[in-house]
Amino acid sequence: MKIALDVMGGDFAPQNPMGGVKLALEELRQIDKIYLVGQPEAIEREMRAQGIPMSDRLEIVSAMQIVDMSDSGLDAVRKKKDSSITRAVDLVKEGKADAVVSAGHTGAAVTASLIKLRTLPHIERPAIAAIMPSMTMPWVLIDAGANPDSLPEHLVQNAIMGSAYAKHVLGRDNPKVGLMSNGTEEEKGNALCKETGKLLKKTPGLNFVGNVEGHDLWETPPDVVVCDGFTGNIILKTSEALAHAMFAMIKEGIMSTTRTKIGGMLAKPAFKAIHKKTSADEAGGMPLLGLNGITIISHGSASAYAMKNALRMACETIRHSLNPHIEAAIGVHLDNNASAGEEEG
Amino acid sequence: MKIALDVMGGDFAPQNPMGGVKLALEELRQIDKIYLVGQPEAIEREMRAQGIPMSDRLEIVSAMQIVDMSDSGLDAVRKKKDSSITRAVDLVKEGKADAVVSAGHTGAAVTASLIKLRTLPHIERPAIAAIMPSMTMPWVLIDAGANPDSLPEHLVQNAIMGSAYAKHVLGRDNPKVGLMSNGTEEEKGNALCKETGKLLKKTPGLNFVGNVEGHDLWETPPDVVVCDGFTGNIILKTSEALAHAMFAMIKEGIMSTTRTKIGGMLAKPAFKAIHKKTSADEAGGMPLLGLNGITIISHGSASAYAMKNALRMACETIRHSLNPHIEAAIGVHLDNNASAGEEEG
């Protein structure tokens, strides 16, 4: 497997992406090559600093421009043709790499992937699938932020893609698909949600279980939760922020007296396990589904450990040949629509 | 102050609403009367069970019908004219009570309040203001679920109402108002959010601070966060569920070994403080703003303690004469729109 890594993307670049490379070279033997895309001098300096020797599993690909957070996604791609994200996506487009991984500007990664790789047939827009933690098992939140304005048919495509990911990559049998709403009752929802619910009910091959609400997400989530990218991004970030805040408050509370300090020290193993369970670092990245290619988007603040996990996610997505499965599932949906149309007509 | 309580509303009715009454009679001396609205026999039985003596601060008002969770809000009001929520709102409409408190069917409480009390002049729709916890200070999330489909002008009204609540009830000086989005940059957002942002910028008397994202809500939230009722309800419930799940996971983790059990016992005071900080029970209820009257909506699963706090919130909202302040703030907004129209015309 060959992966193109946007070494300059993220709040702690190039340090953390290269830290991820170091871990991945040891742990992920299935990786034949990582293309290190970015400013060669900065990459080489970081390799020296972290003691990463050059090998035939690494290849530096020059990209001199850097995307700023103030750039729009489209500008980043159109005006910065020599940026690390556009060059990295080019490697996938040219067939040199099987997947691209970036912790940089999400809009730029989405736009570069969309323009250069294009979507799979009959997929109108790619969607970000976030692998979310819960008390029981991880679940797929789709769309976690690619399309803030979605139409019902986009959400149906999200459901099909998310279901394919849950089945073929996460290994879920007949994955349950829920529709994000403000209540579990069928009449709850905004206009987009209600219209989508009607379509999902008649989508073949989907195990649609109806509306889910915020209360369901942590205890008994379905395998896949479908929503527009505005709502999904808010769920993702609110959850991350709250989990982070809870740990910060617990730490502060525990440090306040000698008694609680000792208690905290003894209880530490319990906290560590929960921190691991709720941390976005474990998934490491989020696949951008619906592309004619594989793009994994990582958190801007991703640690070296998270970057390694994002590289692992790229490997998993390659290994399970996800895209042909998505194409097949969309095909079933279209055939059904066509025959339904004939019956109606 | 006189308050009408929907004794039959909520998952644990009449027990918890009456438990709230018992606590409120002791703690909230400013309450002159609580109208106990519901089935008299059930109320009297509960008073005996909890040892609440009849007094001139209590008055039972008969309402024999019960709203089911499967009723639509409109049906609940139109078809069940003798339900506890409609009778309770009637008491406010007739001027006998200053506010109504209900932990029952939210849609029914919103619809009954809207139909019977009507909105304040120039407010098109009422909105639920949830008082949310954070690491620093509580903040107002508006709309937390009254209107799943909102227009930009509704969100501007939410901003004005939320700001008035933060200023006059929570005592915030020049409250900061943020717009919920999928990123802090101005170009982020769905169509509703972007259009609302343009309007909020030109709304006089508002301290509008721009977009906020999920990451901002727990560490440094503004005083007020504005969104549609679909998004707000999802934020509210996701946050409640995650805080609940974190405590459940911590408990499970701590109970797993003798070492962590002892640690947990010692650290307990720290957890208790955080539980109190993050629990919806502390606010107890959510004011439904924009009505020509005061309605406080409590959580379906509200404890007796939460119901007492909801009654206290009703008292606070009455004491600060919130509605005239909202009317004044809406007036400034309209005057400005009128003069802007003249300038443009």
Side-chain angles (χ1 to χ4, degrees), chain B residues 162-233:
Chain B
S163 180
Y165 190 89
K167 186 171 180 183
H168 299 287
V169 180
L170 302 183
R172 303 287 165 81
D173 193 35
N174 197 21
K176 288 182 183 166
V177 176
L179 176 61
M180 195 69 218
S181 186
N182 57 329
T184 53
E185 302 85 357
E186 196 175 313
E187 68 277 9
K188 287 290 177 74
N190 59 11
L192 170 65
C193 174
K194 287 179 192 170
E195 194 53 41
T196 304
K198 285 181 206 161
L199 296 179
L200 287 176
K201 271 199 211 170
K202 6 180 232 192
T203 303
L206 271 192
N207 182 10
F208 178 53
V209 296
N211 284 356
V212 292
E213 58 173 16
H215 290 150
D216 302 321
L217 300 183
W218 284 88
E219 286 195 34
T220 51
D223 300 288
V224 180
V225 174
V226 171
C227 61
D228 63 88
F230 183 79
T231 306
N233 191 265

Side-chain angles (χ1 to χ4, degrees), chain B:
Chain B
M1 294 175 186
K2 295 176 179 177
I3 299 171
L5 177 67
D6 171 7
V7 179
M8 312 310 281
D11 306 340
F12 307 103
Q15 192 180 347
N16 288 4
M18 288 308 298
V21 167
K22 188 175 180 182
L23 294 170
L25 289 173
E26 285 165 27
E27 274 184 47
L28 305 172
R29 303 307 309 174
Q30 65 270 48
I31 297 183
D32 300 307
K33 179 160 285 183
I34 302 177
Y35 291 101
L36 306 172
V37 188
Q39 295 172 345
E41 204 181 303
I43 294 171
E44 283 163 5
R45 196 185 316 123
E46 196 57 42
M47 287 174 75
R48 282 193 301 272
Q50 297 196 32
I52 304 169
M54 185 42 90
S55 75
D56 57 4
R57 291 174 76 202
L58 296 178
E59 183 173 333
I60 295 174
V61 175
S62 172
M64 297 307 290
Q65 287 175 302
I66 289 180
V67 175
D68 298 318
M69 285 314 285
S70 60
D71 291 329
S72 82
L74 200 58
D75 276 359
V77 179
R78 292 232 171 118
K79 297 186 181 162
K80 292 187 171 171
K81 294 193 190 301
D82 193 30
S83 76
S84 51
I85 181 64
T86 51
R87 290 286 181 223
V89 175
D90 278 337
L91 291 170
V92 176
K93 189 184 173 186
E94 294 159 6
K96 288 183 183 164
D98 303 303
V100 57
V101 173
S102 175
H105 189 305
T106 302
V110 172
T111 309
S113 301
L114 181 57
I115 291 178
K116 290 171 182 289
L117 304 179
R118 303 275 167 188
T119 56
L120 291 169
H122 312 296
I123 297 283
E124 287 170 58
R125 304 202 191 172
I128 295 174
I131 314 307
M132 300 285 289
S134 81
M135 287 179 71
T136 47
M137 51 168 200
W139 52 282
V140 180
L141 174 70
I142 182 167
D143 173 17
N147 301 303
D149 289 294
S150 307
L151 297 173
E153 181 57 26
H154 300 146
L155 298 203
V156 172
Q157 293 172 10
N158 291 354
I160 292 168
M161 296 192 293
S163 180
Y165 190 89
K167 186 171 180 183
H168 299 287
V169 180
L170 302 183
R172 303 287 165 81
D173 193 35
N174 197 21
K176 288 182 183 166
V177 176
L179 176 61
M180 195 69 218
S181 186
N182 57 329
T184 53
E185 302 85 357
E186 196 175 313
E187 68 277 9
K188 287 290 177 74
N190 59 11
L192 170 65
C193 174
K194 287 179 192 170
E195 194 53 41
T196 304
K198 285 181 206 161
L199 296 179
L200 287 176
K201 271 199 211 170
K202 6 180 232 192
T203 303
L206 271 192
N207 182 10
F208 178 53
V209 296
N211 284 356
V212 292
E213 58 173 16
H215 290 150
D216 302 321
L217 300 183
W218 284 88
E219 286 195 34
T220 51
D223 300 288
V224 180
V225 174
V226 171
C227 61
D228 63 88
F230 183 79
T231 306
N233 191 265
I234 289 173
I235 293 171
L236 174 73
K237 288 180 179 165
T238 301
S239 302
E240 283 177 358
L242 176 49
H244 183 82
M246 292 281 288
F247 283 114
M249 287 190 282
I250 287 169
K251 199 171 176 184
E252 195 189 310
I254 278 173
M255 296 309 283
S256 63
T257 70
T258 308
R259 175 191 155 151
T260 52
K261 259 186 213 171
I262 296 167
M265 224 154 58
L266 292 169
K268 206 169 181 179
F271 296 133
K272 271 196 151 168
I274 298 154
H275 191 271
K276 196 175 154 82
K277 203 169 183 176
T278 56
S279 167
D281 284 3
E282 289 308 307
M286 305 182 286
L288 180 61
L289 300 186
L291 294 170
N292 189 18
I294 297 171
T295 296
I296 306 292
I297 291 171
S298 202
H299 209 293
S301 63
S303 63
Y305 177 72
M307 291 304 300
K308 182 265 292 174
N309 285 339
L311 290 164
R312 189 190 57 203
M313 176 179 271
C315 295
E316 288 300 295
T317 311
I318 298 164
R319 183 166 76 88
H320 292 286
S321 303
L322 180 64
N323 285 345
H325 290 299
I326 291 178
E327 285 188 67
I330 285 283
V332 171
H333 170 52
L334 292 171
D335 288 348
N336 182 67
N337 271 5
S339 55
E342 277 164 29
E343 278 164 31
E344 280 165 24

Side-chain angles (χ1 to χ4, degrees), chain A residues 3-334:
Chain A
I3 299 171
L5 177 67
D6 171 7
V7 179
M8 313 310 281
D11 305 341
F12 306 103
Q15 191 182 348
N16 289 4
M18 288 308 298
V21 168
K22 187 176 181 181
L23 294 170
L25 289 173
E26 286 165 28
E27 274 184 48
L28 306 172
R29 302 308 308 175
Q30 65 270 47
I31 297 184
D32 300 308
K33 179 160 284 182
I34 302 176
Y35 291 101
L36 306 172
V37 189
Q39 295 172 346
E41 205 180 303
I43 295 171
E44 283 162 5
R45 196 185 315 121
E46 196 57 40
M47 287 174 75
R48 283 194 300 276
Q50 297 196 33
I52 305 169
M54 185 39 93
S55 75
D56 57 4
R57 292 174 75 202
L58 296 177
E59 183 174 333
I60 295 173
V61 175
S62 171
M64 297 307 290
Q65 287 176 303
I66 288 180
V67 175
D68 299 317
M69 286 314 286
S70 60
D71 291 329
S72 81
L74 199 59
D75 276 359
V77 178
R78 293 231 170 119
K79 296 186 182 162
K80 292 187 172 171
K81 294 193 189 300
D82 193 31
S83 76
S84 51
I85 181 63
T86 52
R87 290 285 183 222
V89 176
D90 278 337
L91 291 170
V92 176
K93 188 184 174 187
E94 294 158 6
K96 288 183 183 163
D98 303 303
V100 57
V101 173
S102 174
H105 188 304
T106 301
V110 172
T111 309
S113 301
L114 181 57
I115 291 179
K116 289 170 182 288
L117 305 179
R118 303 277 168 186
T119 55
L120 291 170
H122 313 297
I123 297 282
E124 287 171 58
R125 305 200 191 173
I128 295 173
I131 316 305
M132 301 284 289
S134 81
M135 286 179 70
T136 48
M137 49 167 201
W139 52 282
V140 180
L141 174 70
I142 181 167
D143 175 16
N147 301 301
D149 289 294
S150 309
L151 296 174
E153 181 56 26
H154 300 145
L155 297 203
V156 172
Q157 293 172 10
N158 291 354
I160 292 169
M161 297 193 292
S163 180
Y165 190 89
K167 187 172 179 182
H168 298 287
V169 182
L170 301 183
R172 303 287 165 82
D173 192 36
N174 196 23
K176 288 181 183 166
V177 176
L179 176 61
M180 195 69 218
S181 187
N182 57 327
T184 53
E185 302 86 357
E186 197 175 313
E187 68 276 10
K188 287 290 177 73
N190 59 11
L192 170 65
C193 174
K194 286 179 192 168
E195 193 54 39
T196 303
K198 284 181 206 160
L199 296 179
L200 286 176
K201 271 200 211 168
K202 14 180 224 190
T203 302
L206 271 192
N207 183 10
F208 178 52
V209 297
N211 284 356
V212 292
E213 58 172 16
H215 289 150
D216 302 320
L217 299 183
W218 284 88
E219 287 196 34
T220 52
D223 300 288
V224 180
V225 174
V226 171
C227 59
D228 64 89
F230 182 79
T231 305
N233 191 265
I234 289 172
I235 292 171
L236 175 73
K237 289 179 178 165
T238 301
S239 301
E240 283 177 358
L242 175 50
H244 183 82
M246 292 282 286
F247 283 114
M249 285 189 283
I250 287 169
K251 199 171 175 182
E252 194 189 311
I254 278 173
M255 296 310 283
S256 64
T257 71
T258 308
R259 173 190 157 153
T260 52
K261 260 186 213 171
I262 295 167
M265 223 153 61
L266 292 169
K268 204 169 183 180
F271 297 134
K272 271 197 152 168
I274 299 154
H275 191 270
K276 194 175 156 83
K277 203 169 181 175
T278 56
S279 167
D281 283 3
E282 290 307 308
M286 304 182 288
L288 181 61
L289 300 186
L291 293 170
N292 189 18
I294 297 171
T295 296
I296 306 291
I297 290 170
S298 203
H299 209 293
S301 63
S303 61
Y305 177 73
M307 290 304 298
K308 183 264 293 174
N309 286 339
L311 289 164
R312 190 190 57 202
M313 176 179 271
C315 295
E316 289 298 297
T317 312
I318 298 164
R319 182 165 77 86
H320 292 287
S321 303
L322 180 66
N323 285 346
H325 290 299
I326 291 177
E327 286 188 66
I330 285 283
V332 171
H333 171 53
L334 291 171

